[in-house]
Amino acid sequence: MAATAADTADLEIEDKGSSLRWFYPVPESGYAFCSECGSSLFWQSHATPDRISVCAGTLNPPTGLRTTQAWWTTEASDYHARPSLEEFDTE
């Protein structure tokens, strides 16, 4: 998954169909997804309530985003082209 982050004050969310749902599998963090198609949209930690991670695929191009880190690349399958970046086994 490719993601970026933003200050919550800088983020405007449009949910005209009221399809946005939040799921909290653990008390420390939550995930937002589309209840119609199941797409992952956001992630937020209670440790940093002023920041929200945004799934990059939800943004209209050109996004201007660039990959800067790769996590869990040791778990990637053989079809995944590993970027030439610093790698992290966990977050």
Side-chain angles (χ1 to χ4, degrees):
M1 178 180 85
T4 189
D7 288 336
T8 54
D10 294 334
L11 186 63
E12 182 178 329
I13 299 171
E14 294 181 16
D15 184 20
K16 294 177 185 173
S18 299
S19 301
L20 181 66
R21 300 290 184 272
W22 282 90
F23 172 64
Y24 294 90
V26 295
E28 298 83 15
S29 63
Y31 300 86
F33 65 95
C34 174
S35 64
E36 292 183 32
C37 70
S39 293
S40 295
L41 304 171
F42 309 105
W43 177 87
Q44 191 169 32
S45 168
H46 289 294
T48 54
D50 58 332
R51 299 284 291 167
I52 191 167
S53 292
V54 180
C55 295
T58 65
L59 304 173
N60 292 328
T63 65
L65 300 176
R66 299 291 174 261
T67 302
T68 59
Q69 294 179 345
W71 295 356
W72 300 300
T73 55
T74 57
E75 298 180 23
S77 188
D78 60 349
Y79 56 81
H80 177 72
R82 293 171 64 166
S84 179
L85 299 167
E86 182 180 6
E87 296 181 4
F88 300 88
D89 288 331
T90 61
E91 54 181 294

